[in-house]
Amino acid sequence: MEMEGNETITITRRHRSADFAMPEDHYHPQYELFYLASGRCRIFLNHTIYHMKPGDFLLIEPMALHHTSYGIAQDNERYAVYFEEPYLDRLRELCGTEWEKTLRDHLLIRLDTGRRRYLEHMLQKMIAEKRRNDGFSEMLIQNDLYELLSFFVRYVEEEQELPFPEPGESMDREDAIQEAAGYIYTHYPETLTLETVADRVHMSPAYFSRKFKKITGLGYKEYVNYVRLRQACRMLRETDLSVMEIAQHCGYSDSNYFGDLFKKEKGMSPRMYRQHSRLTVGRRDDGRADGDRHSGSLDR
């Protein structure tokens, strides 16, 4: 398979102060491999909170909502590798598809000290090739990406049981917000008032709203709409249900309100989105359309 001319691999290395926080929720059309080399941070990914330690690697899939905060009393260093779907298509051609389930079942990988040295050397090598940028660099960086992905799959398979965060590692209030986000993620067709969900995790609505915003990076209603519209995008692409039926399935009793909200968030009406997605060959199941408002800079 030959890559398109605009398909690239981006790798960044950033130092973050303890008081740095992403200004808002974030998603992008690329895959991201996030590696924390030093310090601590917290990442809210879809409906799960990950407490990252040095040596932790997290796979963030395209269009997955995430928010990173570093305010844990020390400076941090992180690497991030961004790449697009065609690179995985090439890997599927070479190695089959069984490895994909291993990666997606273990989004968080916690490396031992010896493996960290190997991995950090590889990431530094990729950065050096980006800076060199001669006729061989893109090919060598692509090979490094494949080595990186195969390393993760083998590591998971060899370790059998991975050392995920201990049950008591996060604070009780963060556990409650994660429970609430997970509930929204699986019960999006239902009526989800702020009061009902706050009561489910034994918080007052006002306190729950503030805590939800602080941990996830977006407001309660914004998150509910994100989950519902993502499902609506999938149904518009994959089913022949009417817009009204999809609106009702996704928790919107008023199809006109649904249509207005969809256009505001996606830049086109539900019907236009359906036509556009079916005309686009090879489009991934990620809910992306021109005008997605949170897909922005990768420099964070």
Side-chain angles (χ1 to χ4, degrees), residues 25-189:
D25 51 295
H26 181 85
Y27 52 77
H28 42 70
Q30 299 89 352
Y31 286 89
E32 176 181 350
L33 295 172
F34 179 100
Y35 175 71
L36 190 66
S38 64
R40 298 289 183 97
C41 73
R42 180 180 64 208
I43 299 180
F44 175 76
L45 174 61
N46 281 331
H47 57 282
T48 302
I49 300 168
Y50 295 94
H51 289 264
M52 305 288 287
K53 298 178 178 180
D56 284 1
F57 227 112
L58 187 67
L59 172 64
I60 301 173
E61 297 187 85
M63 306 312 290
L65 186 72
H66 54 288
H67 178 84
T68 307
S69 57
Y70 294 85
I72 313 181
Q74 56 185 307
D75 291 347
N76 304 267
E77 181 183 13
R78 69 98 176 113
Y79 294 82
V81 180
Y82 305 91
F83 59 95
E84 299 190 7
E85 187 67 24
Y87 290 100
L88 292 189
D89 290 337
R90 177 61 175 158
L91 195 58
R92 292 175 186 117
E93 288 180 6
L94 295 171
C95 305
T97 59
E98 292 184 7
W99 54 270
E100 289 187 71
K101 186 176 188 302
T102 301
L103 276 183
R104 291 192 167 93
D105 285 349
H106 300 86
L107 298 181
L108 175 65
I109 298 175
R110 185 155 286 168
L111 301 176
D112 58 52
T113 303
R115 307 292 182 93
R116 284 177 59 188
R117 286 194 292 267
Y118 163 80
L119 185 65
E120 289 174 16
H121 172 74
M122 187 186 307
L123 292 169
Q124 291 163 6
K125 183 159 68 81
M126 294 174 76
I127 288 176
E129 281 298 336
K130 270 293 183 185
R131 290 173 179 162
R132 184 178 184 116
N133 195 30
D134 63 15
F136 298 103
S137 293
E138 193 64 31
M139 179 269 293
L140 291 172
I141 292 170
Q142 180 178 325
N143 290 343
D144 288 337
L145 174 64
Y146 292 153
E147 183 176 350
L148 202 61
L149 293 171
S150 60
F151 164 78
F152 290 142
V153 173
R154 286 180 169 179
Y155 184 81
V156 170
E157 292 175 345
E158 289 170 5
E159 292 297 311
Q160 298 296 320
E161 294 185 6
L162 297 175
F164 287 106
E166 295 82 6
E169 189 170 322
S170 61
M171 297 184 297
D172 290 342
R173 295 305 183 190
E174 291 183 353
D175 290 340
I177 296 301
Q178 177 169 298
E179 179 185 341
Y183 182 81
I184 295 166
Y185 208 79
T186 54
H187 292 77
Y188 63 88

Side-chain angles (χ1 to χ4, degrees), residues 277-297:
S277 63
R278 292 182 177 180
L279 288 173
T280 305
V281 178
R283 192 180 190 88
R284 271 186 55 76
D285 181 26
D286 58 20
R288 179 172 179 257
D290 293 340
D292 278 355
R293 65 186 180 94
H294 291 296
S295 56
S297 170

